[in-house]
Amino acid sequence: MKKLLIIDGPNLNLLGKRQPHIYGTDNTQTMLHTVRQAVPAEQYSIDYFQSNHEGTIIDRIHAAADDHETAGIILNAGAYTHTSLAIADAIAAIDVPVVEVHISNVHARSEQIRHTSLIAPVCRGTITGFGIDSYVLAAIALMRPEKQARR
């Protein structure tokens, strides 16, 4: 069975509680349930990992590359999206496709730094602004590799 790995970065452990006017009120369990409902269980399992620490996120990306069952990574790197060349380098170093996701529309946010992603150039694609459905859309994209553009 193939795996899709969801990696959430810093502060996403507070999903549903943190700034609900920006990120909504759905928590991680709701997000995972929603993604699992959209993915054929007989073909894919969903693994989940969250960390507030850059190095452990990098370690998990590396581990996914060594796991031949991992078909793709859905990555919400949180604030590391805008600051972590190290996470971008980890993505560039692996063959597993990565889709960058964001719950809010980062391009509509008032903080200018949120408009720049250091990881986007090394990801297969970016989905932003659809709440927790951003994760579902990423899962759908990763399950259709024949439709994916190559970076």
Side-chain angles (χ1 to χ4, degrees), residues 54-55 57-59 61-62 75 80-93 118-119 122:
E54 184 178 35
I57 292 169
I58 292 166
D59 290 343
I61 291 168
H62 291 171
L75 174 62
Y80 287 137
T81 299
H82 321 290
T83 63
S84 182
L85 188 56
I87 291 175
D89 286 347
I91 296 166
L118 296 181
I119 67 172
V122 294

Side-chain angles (χ1 to χ4, degrees), residues 5-7 20 38 42 50 71 79-80 89 93 95 104 115 133:
L5 171 62
I6 298 172
I7 299 176
E42 65 280 356
Q50 188 280 326
Y80 287 137
D89 286 347
D95 290 330
S104 70
H115 299 178
D133 285 341

